[in-house]
Amino acid sequence: MRVAVLATDGVEQVELDRPWQALEEAGAEPELVSLEAGTITAYDHIDKGDTKKVDSTVADADPDDYAALVLPGGVINGDFVRADADAVAFVKAFFEAGKPVAAICHAPWVLVEADVVRGRRMTSWPSLQTDLRNAGANWVDEEVVVDGNLITSRKPDDLEAFGSAIVEEFATAQDDEAADATA
């Protein structure tokens, strides 16, 4: 299972690394999709962290090539990604195809921009709750929320639950897809 992980400079490093690790441990193949080729710089809050090699740019990536999408957080990352038209279209394509999408912390800003949160029960970093409610979401303060194909989580402290939900929901989606293919 190939999984797109959409992030750019300013991504919260732990919110990129921990879901990536959970996916790899479950046998998935995560790929870093970003706004530009080369590398991105992750952050530990406001301090620069590691650089990460970009596998594909969002302008060149095809959502059909991936079974699921992960959106790590980070204030800078979330703001840059939601301002990129190609990134917003990429995210929206996963929803239109009914594929699973997971977003943590500030990443739901991108979902608001893609206009895919209306009527959804979800969570995020607390400061995004007004944005999400204004976009029509039912915001709740829980460590992880699964609403259909959408998985959301609040913050780095919730990463264990977020990673478990990603693995479980993505595996279920893959099993459903395999069953549909043989039917």
Side-chain angles (χ1 to χ4, degrees):
M1 168 183 256
R2 287 177 65 197
V3 177
V5 180
L6 177 57
T8 193
D9 290 317
V11 65
E12 187 68 30
Q13 184 162 331
V14 70
E15 293 174 3
L16 174 65
D17 291 348
R18 294 268 305 276
W20 189 287
Q21 180 182 9
L23 288 165
E24 284 184 329
E25 289 174 358
E29 298 174 31
E31 294 183 11
L32 182 57
V33 178
S34 192
L35 308 183
E36 296 179 9
T39 61
I40 63 170
T41 302
Y43 276 64
D44 180 11
H45 301 294
I46 59 171
D47 299 319
K48 286 187 177 183
D50 297 341
T51 58
K52 307 287 182 178
K53 183 185 175 301
V54 172
D55 295 307
S56 180
T57 65
V58 73
D60 294 332
D62 184 348
D64 291 339
D65 292 341
Y66 301 97
L69 173 64
V70 175
L71 299 167
V75 177
I76 299 166
N77 175 66
D79 200 44
F80 284 173
V81 172
R82 74 177 173 165
D84 186 280
D86 289 331
V88 172
F90 186 78
V91 169
K92 195 168 194 150
F94 280 85
F95 282 89
E96 290 169 351
K99 294 179 182 183
V101 175
I104 187 167
C105 199
H106 286 80
W109 267 339
V110 182
L111 304 178
V112 168
E113 195 65 33
D115 194 24
V116 295
V117 303
R118 189 167 318 285
R120 296 288 196 143
R121 185 173 182 274
M122 58 191 301
T123 194
S124 67
W125 185 258
S127 66
L128 275 64
Q129 66 183 294
T130 300
D131 297 336
L132 289 164
R133 286 183 176 133
N134 286 344
N138 174 18
W139 187 89
V140 295
D141 186 13
E142 296 176 15
E143 76 178 349
V144 68
V145 175
V146 178
D147 182 341
N149 66 326
L150 177 61
I151 304 154
T152 54
S153 197
R154 300 176 300 191
K155 57 189 174 184
D157 290 346
D158 301 333
L159 278 165
E160 187 172 332
F162 184 61
S164 295
I166 288 171
V167 169
E168 181 178 335
E169 295 302 318
F170 287 13
T172 300
Q174 186 176 19
D175 291 345
D176 291 348
E177 188 175 295
D180 289 346
T182 59

